Every structure is written in C-alpha cells, then in structure tokens.
Amino acid sequence: MCGIIGIISNTPVAERLITGLERLEYRGYDSAGIATVVNNEIERRRAPGKLQTLKNLLAEQPLPGMVGIGHTRWATHGAPNAENAHPHANEHVAVVHNGIIENYAEIKNELQTKGYTFSSETDTEVIVHLLTDYLLKGLTPLEAVTQTLSHLHGAFALAIVFAKHPNLMIATRCGSPLVLGVGEYDIMLGSDALALASWAQKLCYLEEGDVVSISKNNNGDFDYQIIDSEGRSVERPLRQSKITAEAASKGEYSHYMLKEIFEQPRAIGETLQSAVDFESKHIDCANFDINWQSLTRLTIIACGTSYYAGMVAKYWFEKYAKLHVDVDIASEFRYREPIFCEGGLTLFLSQSGETIDTLAALNMAKEQKQQTLAIVNVTDSSIARLSDNVLYTAAGPEIGVASTKAFTTQLTLLACLAIVAASKRGKITEEDHQRLTEELIMLPGKISKVLQQDQTFHKCALTISGARDALYLGRGTNYPIALEGALKLKEVSYIHAEGYPAGELKHGPIALIDSAVPVVVLAPHDAWFSKTLSNLQEVMARGGQVICFTDSKGEVELKKQISSSFHLQIIVLPTVPSFVAPILYSIPVQLLAYYVALQKGTDVDQPRNLAKSVTVE
Ligand code: G6P
C-alpha cells in the first residue's frame, strides 16, 4: 500500500528515485510523484496512473536536485488523480506517506480554522500544514516533525524534505515499514530493501516509532541520526545488503508473474535447504522453545493467499501430528472475541510480514500470552520482529502482485513444520519422517516437469478466457488450492471465479453449471479421486466444460468412465504422493490464470485495484 523512497546524494537523484519507485510499484500504482529541493525551493512532478506517465512528464520537464523523495500510490483517501498524488507540498516542505492518518479529518478542521487551505482530498496533506505551522513558529525541522507526530494517529511511514534545509531529510516509521540504506555515494530510505538495491551496501531496518534524520554536510559527506520513540538517540544495527538489482528485473520473461512461476523449483529448493538435512533426510527447522508434545491447539492466522496456505497446513497438522488446528482470517480474528487456550501456539503466515490485520492479530495473541511463530518471506519485517519465533521462506523478492512462489514456499515450510510437529509428538516414526522429507526433496524436480508443459496451459486457457464465470473444484488438500486457483484467476484476468470443495457442489454451485461456465477440477488419483470423479460426472451431465488436472492413473480412469462426447480436457501432471500434491497442483492453476490474463490482455503484474503489501485495513 504505497511505496516511498528518499535519496540524498552528490549527484541528481530523479532518475534513481524513478528506478526505486519501479521496484516499489507492486505496493500500488494509482499515481506517482517525486519532489526535490532545488535552490531552497521544493520542485515536484506528479502524474496519475502508472509510473510511465510520470516518466513521460519528466522527459518533458526534467527535475534537477540532489535531495529528493518519491512515492507510488495505492489510493485510500481521494481519487487517483494528479492532485491527490504524492509528494504533497507547499513552499516549506514536501511529504511522502505510506499508510493512513486516522484522525486527519479533525486535524484538517483545526488547520482550516487557522487559515490553511488544502489542495487535495488526502489524509497526507494535514502533515504538510502541521509541519509548516511548527516551522513558522521557529521550531527546527526535527522539533517540527516530533511535534507533528504527536498529533497523528494511525499506521504510517513518512519521508520529508525542507525547502530551507536543502541537505536534510527526516523520516519516520510508525506501523509501516522503512529501511535506511547507506551507500558509497548516497544515503537513502525506502519502503523496502529492494527499492535501494545496488546503491545501498548497508541496510538498517528502523524500529517502530523511530525518527531518522539524514543529511549531507558542505564537503558532501553523509550522516544520519536515529531517535527512538522515547526521544533517545539510538544506534541500530547496520547489515550488509544481500539484495541485487537483478532480483528486481524480469530477465528474459515477459512478466514478473511468469518469471516467478518459473522460479519455483529454485525457491522451493532453497526453502528446503534452510530446513532440511538432505543427507539424513531429517528436518529440524523449528528448534524453538515449543513444546509440541503438550501442545493442545495450533491457531493459524493469515490473509489472502497466505490464508489458503494455512488451510492446506491444517490438513497436514491434523493428519500427521494429530494436532487440533484452527485457521482464521486475520481481519475477522482480530475483531472477534476468540477463545485463546492456555499453552496454545499461534502461527502467523505473511509473505510481506507487514499485513496490517495479521500484525494486529499477532499483537492480540501476544497480549493473551500465546506463544507465537511466524512464517514470512521478508527479513526483518514487522511480523518477523514481533513474533516470538520466525521461519523464513526463501522465495526471494516477489514483484508480480499475484503471489506464486511466495505461496508455494510457504506451503513447503508448513509441510516441514508439520513433519517436525508429528515427530516431536511421537505420531510418526523416523522412517515416516524420512519418507515425507524425501517426498519434499523430490518436489522441485517434479515442478520443473510441470513447467516444461507450460504451453499446454496456454492452450487450455482458451476455454476460460471468453467466460464470465468459472468454478474450481478440489477435495482434501486440493480444496484450498481450488480456492487459490479461483483467486489467481480473479486477480489477474478479472473473470469471476469461485473455488469449492467438490463435495459441496450439490449444495448450491451446481445451479451455475451450463456450457458457458468452465469448471477446473483438481483431481490427483488419491483417496478422494473416485468421489471427485462422481462430482465431475455431475458437471458433465449438465453440459459443463471441464478442465481436469490429474496424473496418469487419473487419466486412465477418466478415459474409462467419461464419454468422449463430453467437453473434457485432461491435463496430465507428474504423479506425486498426496502429501506434496497441493504444492505441485498450485503450479497449473497459476499458469492457467497467467495465460488467461495474457489472452485477455490485462495487466498481469499490476492488476487493477490491487497492491501486494496491504498495510491499511
Ligand atoms: C495481498 C496479496 C496476497 C497476499 C495477501 C496477504 O492480498 O496480494 O498475495 O497473500 O495480501 O499478504 P501477506 O503478505 O500477509 O501474505
């Protein structure tokens, strides 16, 4: 939800601000803007829509300046037009903001009474005028920022530049992420480390409530100072940055989504490497102080795609670890009155580690003295830091807004965790432990085989791309994958799709079936196959067009039992044990959604209205 960047340099910054914003566009792409300080004046360029419009504007009206801030917006308050685009500014200050100022309306009223006039509908603009009010009273920039912050309620990150202090930038993090980057030639800030890749050799992840003041002296040397939420000057660890600029590029692929789908064998392999001893086929990834043996309940909390990963994990933990599992959507959980049981473990799944609802649920669980564990993809993200324990997926940066590799690596780590829990609870033998681990180790190779078939999905996308609605059906661990498949299709192709447990078909959705509604069925030849086959027959009998993902045994059965006069496309996937099947079956639903979107000509990587990191409610 909005990406921000700021750079202080000894050379012009506009071009790098734009490159940084390109890497942050996954956070929102409703409008974009940059501002610099030139000759003690604020200069800015803003444009509605994608970054390209801003780039075109800059080609006509270049922006000089060696100190600047930039923003890419996911609109919350006010339409996505140029007036509401950030940076918001007057002749004294310019501000970029990620997050929401909840009490902006009352602050706006007070400022209007004092005579300040507003030129946008945003919550952000109050910050510009509040700061100005304090600056005009004679406060220093840092004092003005501190005073301004004392008025603001909400979750936000800000970066501010000052017309009369041209070598200074002040930023703060209060609920939204912000990282400081120190490079050889510049000093900078960004919503994530990727935005700063290749310029910042060292990174410092700011803590909640930190205010950082970065500056350059007359010799062109950089300096920074961090003040914590108590007003004390503090040191924060500086770490070597491992993120390369290549991580932010599409390489040979036409879209990030396709690149990230194809990266899955590597991403899953690296995630396994972090958890598995390949020699002994033993998993020891959760060496935390969790007493699995006496654990009575596991609560998994997440949003969106991560929630579906949690749903799959429920099947695994119940089956192998014989553990009671609840899976909850964070935005519901946090506003219910959930019953926490003593000694319960609460597991938070979040790819970004910043999702506001998941973060709030984590705070709630901590208040209730629950033990907390998080699985996240982003190092040092808020959820990673707040949770008692953390496990990292090794997906690497995911830029396509529709999640692919971040989801399958979550599943991979959850599968590892289920094996650990099952062993520690004495519910599986060492032999079973090794067998299940081996099944995971074999998975990247099987996924590569699915990827080699990608043109098959291209062809079968034709069945869906003309449809208005589609249904996805699955049973067992493939039911959440049916939900994920439907979500992927909605996100990138704008076709209405629903995922259903195949057994629920009769309880309503069968009324939708006719020849215009394609039905995607996930049916590996497993314990549920014959049941799913009956449901598939029911669809076909009503003229439905079915695309069935199955394995070679399933293909034989289908060919035996379904009349060739029906509209049935069978896509044969590699045979895998049912434990890992949901991970493998995620790949075809991703590819199908991708190719449908491609045929429809939608913006695959930046679908309308979406953003990847959801830092507002
Ligand atoms: C957004 C993203 C999804 C993601 C969800 C939860 O909706 O588009 O891919 O699953 O947020 O985000 P998280 O980072 O907590 O997994």
Side-chain angles (χ1 to χ4, degrees), residues 237-294:
L238 262 185
R239 311 215 184 122
Q240 206 66 36
S241 170
K242 292 191 195 128
I243 299 195
T244 60
E246 288 76 63
S249 92
K250 276 193 272 211
E252 71 205 64
Y253 294 92
S254 44
H255 294 96
Y256 283 111
M257 184 178 176
L258 192 63
K259 175 183 176 234
E260 287 156 5
I261 289 173
F262 272 80
E263 278 175 346
Q264 289 176 106
R266 181 212 46 81
I268 291 173
E270 284 180 15
T271 301
L272 284 173
Q273 264 166 25
S274 71
V276 179
D277 178 348
F278 281 62
E279 194 107 320
S280 64
K281 303 211 169 42
H282 200 88
I283 302 181
D284 216 358
C285 65
N287 272 328
F288 316 123
D289 194 18
I290 294 170
N291 192 343
W292 290 104
Q293 232 155 354
S294 62

Short mmCIF file of all heavy atoms in Angstrom, two decimals, residues 237-294:
data_model
loop_
_atom_site.label_atom_id
_atom_site.label_comp_id
_atom_site.label_asym_id
_atom_site.label_seq_id
_atom_site.Cartn_x
_atom_site.Cartn_y
_atom_site.Cartn_z
N PRO A 237 21.48 -1.70 14.32
CA PRO A 237 22.45 -2.47 13.54
C PRO A 237 22.40 -2.17 12.05
O PRO A 237 21.31 -2.02 11.49
CB PRO A 237 22.06 -3.93 13.82
CG PRO A 237 20.80 -3.90 14.59
CD PRO A 237 20.53 -2.51 15.05
N LEU A 238 23.57 -2.07 11.47
CA LEU A 238 23.69 -1.89 10.00
C LEU A 238 24.10 -3.24 9.44
O LEU A 238 25.09 -3.82 9.88
CB LEU A 238 24.81 -0.90 9.70
CG LEU A 238 24.49 0.55 9.41
CD1 LEU A 238 25.75 1.28 9.02
CD2 LEU A 238 23.44 0.73 8.33
N ARG A 239 23.33 -3.76 8.49
CA ARG A 239 23.67 -5.07 7.93
C ARG A 239 24.05 -4.93 6.47
O ARG A 239 23.52 -4.08 5.78
CB ARG A 239 22.47 -6.00 7.99
CG ARG A 239 21.86 -5.99 9.34
CD ARG A 239 21.33 -7.32 9.70
NE ARG A 239 20.68 -7.16 10.98
CZ ARG A 239 19.42 -7.45 11.18
NH1 ARG A 239 18.70 -7.94 10.21
NH2 ARG A 239 18.90 -7.28 12.37
N GLN A 240 24.89 -5.84 6.03
CA GLN A 240 25.27 -5.88 4.62
C GLN A 240 24.03 -6.22 3.78
O GLN A 240 23.29 -7.14 4.14
CB GLN A 240 26.34 -6.97 4.47
CG GLN A 240 27.27 -6.79 3.30
CD GLN A 240 28.16 -5.56 3.43
OE1 GLN A 240 28.58 -5.20 4.52
NE2 GLN A 240 28.40 -4.89 2.31
N SER A 241 23.78 -5.50 2.71
CA SER A 241 22.63 -5.81 1.86
C SER A 241 22.95 -6.99 0.96
O SER A 241 24.01 -7.05 0.36
CB SER A 241 22.27 -4.60 1.01
OG SER A 241 21.32 -4.97 0.05
N LYS A 242 21.99 -7.94 0.88
CA LYS A 242 22.25 -9.10 0.01
C LYS A 242 21.41 -9.01 -1.26
O LYS A 242 21.49 -9.86 -2.13
CB LYS A 242 21.88 -10.38 0.76
CG LYS A 242 22.80 -10.68 1.92
CD LYS A 242 22.54 -12.10 2.44
CE LYS A 242 23.16 -12.28 3.80
NZ LYS A 242 22.26 -12.79 4.79
N ILE A 243 20.59 -7.97 -1.34
CA ILE A 243 19.66 -7.89 -2.48
C ILE A 243 20.35 -7.27 -3.69
O ILE A 243 20.96 -6.21 -3.59
CB ILE A 243 18.41 -7.08 -2.09
CG1 ILE A 243 17.73 -7.82 -0.94
CG2 ILE A 243 17.46 -6.93 -3.28
CD1 ILE A 243 16.35 -7.41 -0.66
N THR A 244 20.24 -7.95 -4.81
CA THR A 244 20.88 -7.44 -6.02
C THR A 244 19.82 -6.79 -6.91
O THR A 244 18.64 -7.08 -6.80
CB THR A 244 21.52 -8.59 -6.81
OG1 THR A 244 20.47 -9.50 -7.16
CG2 THR A 244 22.59 -9.31 -6.02
N ALA A 245 20.30 -5.96 -7.83
CA ALA A 245 19.36 -5.30 -8.74
C ALA A 245 18.70 -6.32 -9.66
O ALA A 245 17.57 -6.14 -10.10
CB ALA A 245 20.10 -4.25 -9.56
N GLU A 246 19.38 -7.46 -9.94
CA GLU A 246 18.80 -8.49 -10.83
C GLU A 246 17.50 -9.03 -10.24
O GLU A 246 16.57 -9.40 -10.94
CB GLU A 246 19.74 -9.70 -11.04
CG GLU A 246 20.94 -9.43 -11.90
CD GLU A 246 22.00 -8.63 -11.17
OE1 GLU A 246 22.53 -9.13 -10.17
OE2 GLU A 246 22.26 -7.48 -11.58
N ALA A 247 17.45 -9.08 -8.89
CA ALA A 247 16.25 -9.60 -8.23
C ALA A 247 15.03 -8.79 -8.62
O ALA A 247 13.90 -9.27 -8.58
CB ALA A 247 16.43 -9.58 -6.71
N ALA A 248 15.27 -7.54 -9.01
CA ALA A 248 14.14 -6.67 -9.35
C ALA A 248 13.89 -6.63 -10.85
O ALA A 248 13.05 -5.87 -11.31
CB ALA A 248 14.43 -5.26 -8.84
N SER A 249 14.61 -7.47 -11.62
CA SER A 249 14.39 -7.40 -13.07
C SER A 249 13.60 -8.61 -13.56
O SER A 249 13.59 -9.66 -12.95
CB SER A 249 15.74 -7.31 -13.78
OG SER A 249 16.19 -8.60 -14.12
N LYS A 250 12.97 -8.45 -14.74
CA LYS A 250 12.15 -9.52 -15.30
C LYS A 250 12.99 -10.55 -16.04
O LYS A 250 12.48 -11.59 -16.43
CB LYS A 250 11.15 -8.91 -16.29
CG LYS A 250 9.91 -8.38 -15.61
CD LYS A 250 8.83 -8.07 -16.62
CE LYS A 250 9.00 -6.67 -17.11
NZ LYS A 250 7.86 -5.93 -17.50
N GLY A 251 14.26 -10.20 -16.29
CA GLY A 251 15.12 -11.11 -17.04
C GLY A 251 14.53 -11.37 -18.42
O GLY A 251 14.02 -10.46 -19.07
N GLU A 252 14.55 -12.63 -18.82
CA GLU A 252 14.09 -12.97 -20.18
C GLU A 252 12.57 -13.09 -20.27
O GLU A 252 12.02 -13.31 -21.35
CB GLU A 252 14.72 -14.30 -20.61
CG GLU A 252 14.13 -15.46 -19.83
CD GLU A 252 15.02 -16.68 -19.72
OE1 GLU A 252 16.09 -16.58 -19.10
OE2 GLU A 252 14.62 -17.73 -20.21
N TYR A 253 11.87 -12.95 -19.15
CA TYR A 253 10.42 -13.20 -19.14
C TYR A 253 9.63 -11.94 -19.50
O TYR A 253 10.08 -10.83 -19.23
CB TYR A 253 9.98 -13.70 -17.76
CG TYR A 253 10.56 -15.06 -17.46
CD1 TYR A 253 11.77 -15.18 -16.79
CD2 TYR A 253 9.91 -16.22 -17.87
CE1 TYR A 253 12.33 -16.42 -16.54
CE2 TYR A 253 10.46 -17.47 -17.63
CZ TYR A 253 11.66 -17.57 -16.96
OH TYR A 253 12.20 -18.79 -16.72
N SER A 254 8.42 -12.17 -20.02
CA SER A 254 7.61 -11.01 -20.39
C SER A 254 6.92 -10.39 -19.17
O SER A 254 6.51 -9.23 -19.21
CB SER A 254 6.59 -11.40 -21.45
OG SER A 254 6.01 -12.62 -21.10
N HIS A 255 6.75 -11.18 -18.13
CA HIS A 255 6.11 -10.65 -16.91
C HIS A 255 6.80 -11.20 -15.67
O HIS A 255 7.31 -12.32 -15.69
CB HIS A 255 4.63 -11.07 -16.85
CG HIS A 255 3.80 -10.46 -17.92
ND1 HIS A 255 3.51 -11.10 -19.08
CD2 HIS A 255 3.21 -9.22 -17.99
CE1 HIS A 255 2.77 -10.31 -19.85
NE2 HIS A 255 2.59 -9.17 -19.20
N TYR A 256 6.74 -10.43 -14.60
CA TYR A 256 7.27 -10.91 -13.32
C TYR A 256 6.52 -12.18 -12.89
O TYR A 256 7.11 -13.10 -12.34
CB TYR A 256 7.10 -9.85 -12.22
CG TYR A 256 8.10 -8.74 -12.31
CD1 TYR A 256 7.71 -7.46 -12.67
CD2 TYR A 256 9.45 -8.97 -12.03
CE1 TYR A 256 8.64 -6.42 -12.76
CE2 TYR A 256 10.38 -7.94 -12.11
CZ TYR A 256 9.97 -6.67 -12.47
OH TYR A 256 10.89 -5.67 -12.55
N MET A 257 5.20 -12.20 -13.14
CA MET A 257 4.43 -13.37 -12.67
C MET A 257 4.98 -14.65 -13.30
O MET A 257 5.17 -15.65 -12.61
CB MET A 257 2.94 -13.19 -12.98
CG MET A 257 2.09 -14.32 -12.42
SD MET A 257 0.34 -14.06 -12.76
CE MET A 257 -0.36 -15.57 -12.09
N LEU A 258 5.26 -14.59 -14.60
CA LEU A 258 5.77 -15.79 -15.28
C LEU A 258 7.16 -16.14 -14.75
O LEU A 258 7.46 -17.30 -14.48
CB LEU A 258 5.80 -15.56 -16.79
CG LEU A 258 6.04 -16.82 -17.62
CD1 LEU A 258 4.92 -17.83 -17.43
CD2 LEU A 258 6.18 -16.50 -19.10
N LYS A 259 7.99 -15.12 -14.59
CA LYS A 259 9.34 -15.36 -14.06
C LYS A 259 9.24 -16.03 -12.68
O LYS A 259 9.93 -17.00 -12.39
CB LYS A 259 10.08 -14.03 -13.94
CG LYS A 259 11.45 -14.14 -13.30
CD LYS A 259 12.09 -12.77 -13.15
CE LYS A 259 13.41 -12.83 -12.43
NZ LYS A 259 13.48 -11.94 -11.29
N GLU A 260 8.35 -15.52 -11.87
CA GLU A 260 8.25 -16.03 -10.51
C GLU A 260 7.65 -17.44 -10.46
O GLU A 260 8.02 -18.26 -9.62
CB GLU A 260 7.49 -15.01 -9.64
CG GLU A 260 8.39 -13.80 -9.38
CD GLU A 260 7.68 -12.49 -9.06
OE1 GLU A 260 6.44 -12.50 -8.93
OE2 GLU A 260 8.37 -11.45 -8.97
N ILE A 261 6.75 -17.73 -11.42
CA ILE A 261 6.22 -19.10 -11.52
C ILE A 261 7.38 -20.05 -11.85
O ILE A 261 7.54 -21.11 -11.25
CB ILE A 261 5.11 -19.19 -12.59
CG1 ILE A 261 3.83 -18.47 -12.12
CG2 ILE A 261 4.79 -20.66 -12.92
CD1 ILE A 261 2.73 -18.36 -13.18
N PHE A 262 8.21 -19.62 -12.79
CA PHE A 262 9.33 -20.47 -13.22
C PHE A 262 10.44 -20.56 -12.17
O PHE A 262 11.29 -21.44 -12.24
CB PHE A 262 9.87 -20.00 -14.57
CG PHE A 262 9.13 -20.63 -15.72
CD1 PHE A 262 7.90 -20.14 -16.12
CD2 PHE A 262 9.62 -21.76 -16.37
CE1 PHE A 262 7.18 -20.73 -17.16
CE2 PHE A 262 8.91 -22.36 -17.41
CZ PHE A 262 7.69 -21.85 -17.81
N GLU A 263 10.45 -19.63 -11.23
CA GLU A 263 11.50 -19.67 -10.19
C GLU A 263 11.16 -20.67 -9.09
O GLU A 263 11.96 -20.87 -8.18
CB GLU A 263 11.64 -18.29 -9.55
CG GLU A 263 12.51 -17.35 -10.37
CD GLU A 263 12.56 -15.94 -9.78
OE1 GLU A 263 11.72 -15.61 -8.92
OE2 GLU A 263 13.41 -15.17 -10.19
N GLN A 264 9.99 -21.29 -9.17
CA GLN A 264 9.55 -22.09 -8.02
C GLN A 264 10.44 -23.31 -7.69
O GLN A 264 10.68 -23.54 -6.51
CB GLN A 264 8.08 -22.47 -8.16
CG GLN A 264 7.24 -21.21 -7.95
CD GLN A 264 5.76 -21.39 -8.14
OE1 GLN A 264 5.00 -21.41 -7.19
NE2 GLN A 264 5.34 -21.50 -9.37
N PRO A 265 10.95 -24.03 -8.69
CA PRO A 265 11.84 -25.14 -8.29
C PRO A 265 13.02 -24.64 -7.44
O PRO A 265 13.36 -25.24 -6.43
CB PRO A 265 12.31 -25.73 -9.62
CG PRO A 265 11.22 -25.38 -10.58
CD PRO A 265 10.72 -24.02 -10.14
N ARG A 266 13.60 -23.50 -7.86
CA ARG A 266 14.72 -22.95 -7.09
C ARG A 266 14.27 -22.46 -5.71
O ARG A 266 14.87 -22.77 -4.69
CB ARG A 266 15.38 -21.79 -7.86
CG ARG A 266 16.55 -21.19 -7.12
CD ARG A 266 16.78 -19.70 -7.32
NE ARG A 266 15.67 -18.80 -7.24
CZ ARG A 266 15.13 -18.33 -6.10
NH1 ARG A 266 15.60 -18.73 -4.94
NH2 ARG A 266 14.12 -17.50 -6.12
N ALA A 267 13.16 -21.71 -5.70
CA ALA A 267 12.70 -21.12 -4.43
C ALA A 267 12.31 -22.20 -3.43
O ALA A 267 12.63 -22.10 -2.23
CB ALA A 267 11.51 -20.20 -4.72
N ILE A 268 11.66 -23.26 -3.93
CA ILE A 268 11.27 -24.35 -3.02
C ILE A 268 12.52 -25.10 -2.57
O ILE A 268 12.67 -25.44 -1.39
CB ILE A 268 10.25 -25.29 -3.73
CG1 ILE A 268 8.93 -24.54 -3.89
CG2 ILE A 268 10.05 -26.59 -2.95
CD1 ILE A 268 7.88 -25.26 -4.71
N GLY A 269 13.44 -25.32 -3.51
CA GLY A 269 14.70 -25.99 -3.16
C GLY A 269 15.45 -25.22 -2.08
O GLY A 269 15.92 -25.80 -1.10
N GLU A 270 15.53 -23.90 -2.23
CA GLU A 270 16.28 -23.11 -1.23
C GLU A 270 15.54 -23.07 0.10
O GLU A 270 16.16 -23.05 1.17
CB GLU A 270 16.52 -21.69 -1.76
CG GLU A 270 17.63 -21.69 -2.79
CD GLU A 270 17.94 -20.32 -3.36
OE1 GLU A 270 17.52 -19.30 -2.79
OE2 GLU A 270 18.61 -20.29 -4.42
N THR A 271 14.22 -23.06 0.04
CA THR A 271 13.45 -23.09 1.30
C THR A 271 13.70 -24.42 2.01
O THR A 271 13.89 -24.46 3.23
CB THR A 271 11.95 -22.88 1.00
OG1 THR A 271 11.80 -21.63 0.34
CG2 THR A 271 11.12 -22.91 2.26
N LEU A 272 13.75 -25.50 1.23
CA LEU A 272 14.04 -26.81 1.84
C LEU A 272 15.44 -26.83 2.44
O LEU A 272 15.65 -27.36 3.52
CB LEU A 272 13.90 -27.92 0.79
CG LEU A 272 12.46 -28.30 0.42
CD1 LEU A 272 12.45 -29.27 -0.74
CD2 LEU A 272 11.71 -28.89 1.61
N GLN A 273 16.38 -26.21 1.71
CA GLN A 273 17.76 -26.20 2.22
C GLN A 273 17.86 -25.54 3.59
O GLN A 273 18.68 -25.91 4.41
CB GLN A 273 18.66 -25.47 1.25
CG GLN A 273 19.35 -26.44 0.31
CD GLN A 273 19.98 -25.73 -0.86
OE1 GLN A 273 20.30 -24.55 -0.77
NE2 GLN A 273 20.15 -26.44 -1.95
N SER A 274 16.99 -24.54 3.81
CA SER A 274 17.06 -23.86 5.10
C SER A 274 16.48 -24.72 6.22
O SER A 274 16.67 -24.43 7.39
CB SER A 274 16.28 -22.54 5.02
OG SER A 274 14.89 -22.81 4.94
N ALA A 275 15.77 -25.79 5.87
CA ALA A 275 15.07 -26.57 6.90
C ALA A 275 15.52 -28.02 6.99
O ALA A 275 15.33 -28.67 8.02
CB ALA A 275 13.57 -26.52 6.61
N VAL A 276 16.11 -28.54 5.91
CA VAL A 276 16.30 -30.00 5.81
C VAL A 276 17.77 -30.36 5.77
O VAL A 276 18.56 -29.70 5.07
CB VAL A 276 15.62 -30.51 4.50
CG1 VAL A 276 15.83 -32.02 4.35
CG2 VAL A 276 14.15 -30.18 4.49
N ASP A 277 18.14 -31.41 6.48
CA ASP A 277 19.45 -32.01 6.28
C ASP A 277 19.28 -33.06 5.19
O ASP A 277 18.68 -34.13 5.44
CB ASP A 277 19.94 -32.64 7.60
CG ASP A 277 21.29 -33.32 7.41
OD1 ASP A 277 21.71 -33.49 6.25
OD2 ASP A 277 21.91 -33.69 8.43
N PHE A 278 19.76 -32.75 3.99
CA PHE A 278 19.49 -33.63 2.84
C PHE A 278 20.14 -35.01 3.01
O PHE A 278 19.64 -35.99 2.49
CB PHE A 278 19.98 -32.96 1.54
CG PHE A 278 19.02 -31.91 1.03
CD1 PHE A 278 18.73 -30.78 1.78
CD2 PHE A 278 18.39 -32.06 -0.19
CE1 PHE A 278 17.85 -29.81 1.32
CE2 PHE A 278 17.50 -31.11 -0.68
CZ PHE A 278 17.23 -29.98 0.09
N GLU A 279 21.23 -35.04 3.74
CA GLU A 279 21.94 -36.32 3.93
C GLU A 279 21.10 -37.29 4.75
O GLU A 279 20.81 -38.40 4.33
CB GLU A 279 23.26 -36.02 4.66
CG GLU A 279 24.21 -37.16 4.61
CD GLU A 279 25.35 -36.85 3.64
OE1 GLU A 279 25.13 -36.27 2.57
OE2 GLU A 279 26.45 -37.19 3.99
N SER A 280 20.68 -36.81 5.91
CA SER A 280 19.95 -37.71 6.80
C SER A 280 18.45 -37.69 6.54
O SER A 280 17.69 -38.40 7.16
CB SER A 280 20.22 -37.31 8.26
OG SER A 280 19.69 -36.01 8.47
N LYS A 281 18.01 -36.84 5.63
CA LYS A 281 16.58 -36.64 5.32
C LYS A 281 15.82 -36.31 6.60
O LYS A 281 14.76 -36.86 6.90
CB LYS A 281 15.99 -37.88 4.67
CG LYS A 281 16.72 -38.29 3.42
CD LYS A 281 15.82 -38.94 2.43
CE LYS A 281 16.45 -39.12 1.08
NZ LYS A 281 17.82 -39.56 1.02
N HIS A 282 16.42 -35.42 7.35
CA HIS A 282 15.81 -35.04 8.62
C HIS A 282 15.53 -33.54 8.64
O HIS A 282 16.33 -32.75 8.17
CB HIS A 282 16.73 -35.42 9.78
CG HIS A 282 15.98 -35.51 11.06
ND1 HIS A 282 15.35 -36.66 11.47
CD2 HIS A 282 15.70 -34.57 11.98
CE1 HIS A 282 14.74 -36.43 12.61
NE2 HIS A 282 14.93 -35.16 12.94
N ILE A 283 14.37 -33.19 9.18
CA ILE A 283 14.01 -31.77 9.25
C ILE A 283 14.14 -31.31 10.70
O ILE A 283 13.61 -31.95 11.61
CB ILE A 283 12.57 -31.55 8.77
CG1 ILE A 283 12.43 -32.07 7.34
CG2 ILE A 283 12.20 -30.08 8.85
CD1 ILE A 283 11.06 -31.89 6.74
N ASP A 284 14.85 -30.23 10.85
CA ASP A 284 14.99 -29.69 12.19
C ASP A 284 14.86 -28.18 12.14
O ASP A 284 15.73 -27.46 12.61
CB ASP A 284 16.35 -30.11 12.76
CG ASP A 284 16.23 -30.40 14.25
OD1 ASP A 284 15.11 -30.23 14.76
OD2 ASP A 284 17.24 -30.77 14.86
N CYS A 285 13.77 -27.72 11.53
CA CYS A 285 13.71 -26.29 11.26
C CYS A 285 13.12 -25.48 12.40
O CYS A 285 13.15 -24.28 12.37
CB CYS A 285 12.88 -26.04 10.00
SG CYS A 285 11.17 -26.50 10.16
N ALA A 286 12.57 -26.12 13.38
CA ALA A 286 11.87 -25.34 14.40
C ALA A 286 12.45 -25.64 15.77
O ALA A 286 11.79 -26.15 16.67
CB ALA A 286 10.38 -25.66 14.35
N ASN A 287 13.75 -25.29 15.89
CA ASN A 287 14.41 -25.55 17.16
C ASN A 287 14.08 -24.49 18.20
O ASN A 287 14.95 -23.92 18.83
CB ASN A 287 15.92 -25.58 16.93
CG ASN A 287 16.34 -26.98 16.58
OD1 ASN A 287 15.73 -27.93 17.05
ND2 ASN A 287 17.35 -27.10 15.73
N PHE A 288 12.83 -24.19 18.32
CA PHE A 288 12.43 -23.17 19.27
C PHE A 288 11.93 -23.86 20.52
O PHE A 288 11.76 -25.06 20.55
CB PHE A 288 11.30 -22.31 18.71
CG PHE A 288 11.48 -21.90 17.30
CD1 PHE A 288 10.53 -22.21 16.35
CD2 PHE A 288 12.60 -21.19 16.92
CE1 PHE A 288 10.69 -21.82 15.04
CE2 PHE A 288 12.76 -20.80 15.61
CZ PHE A 288 11.82 -21.11 14.68
N ASP A 289 11.62 -23.00 21.43
CA ASP A 289 11.15 -23.49 22.71
C ASP A 289 9.65 -23.83 22.63
O ASP A 289 8.85 -23.29 23.36
CB ASP A 289 11.42 -22.37 23.73
CG ASP A 289 11.29 -22.88 25.12
OD1 ASP A 289 11.33 -24.10 25.28
OD2 ASP A 289 11.10 -22.05 26.03
N ILE A 290 9.29 -24.68 21.65
CA ILE A 290 7.87 -25.02 21.53
C ILE A 290 7.71 -26.45 22.03
O ILE A 290 8.39 -27.36 21.54
CB ILE A 290 7.40 -24.95 20.05
CG1 ILE A 290 7.45 -23.51 19.56
CG2 ILE A 290 6.00 -25.54 19.89
CD1 ILE A 290 7.24 -23.35 18.08
N ASN A 291 6.83 -26.61 22.99
CA ASN A 291 6.62 -27.95 23.50
C ASN A 291 5.52 -28.63 22.67
O ASN A 291 4.34 -28.59 23.01
CB ASN A 291 6.25 -27.90 24.99
CG ASN A 291 6.31 -29.29 25.59
OD1 ASN A 291 6.31 -30.29 24.85
ND2 ASN A 291 6.37 -29.36 26.90
N TRP A 292 5.94 -29.20 21.56
CA TRP A 292 4.97 -29.79 20.63
C TRP A 292 4.17 -30.89 21.30
O TRP A 292 2.99 -31.09 21.02
CB TRP A 292 5.69 -30.38 19.41
CG TRP A 292 6.27 -29.34 18.51
CD1 TRP A 292 7.59 -29.00 18.40
CD2 TRP A 292 5.57 -28.51 17.58
NE1 TRP A 292 7.75 -28.00 17.46
CE2 TRP A 292 6.52 -27.69 16.93
CE3 TRP A 292 4.23 -28.37 17.22
CZ2 TRP A 292 6.18 -26.75 15.96
CZ3 TRP A 292 3.89 -27.44 16.24
CH2 TRP A 292 4.85 -26.64 15.63
N GLN A 293 4.83 -31.63 22.21
CA GLN A 293 4.17 -32.78 22.82
C GLN A 293 2.93 -32.39 23.62
O GLN A 293 1.90 -33.05 23.55
CB GLN A 293 5.16 -33.47 23.75
CG GLN A 293 5.23 -34.94 23.45
CD GLN A 293 6.55 -35.51 23.89
OE1 GLN A 293 7.45 -34.77 24.31
NE2 GLN A 293 6.69 -36.81 23.79
N SER A 294 3.05 -31.30 24.37
CA SER A 294 1.92 -30.94 25.22
C SER A 294 0.98 -29.93 24.54
O SER A 294 -0.01 -29.52 25.12
CB SER A 294 2.44 -30.35 26.54
OG SER A 294 3.16 -29.18 26.24
#
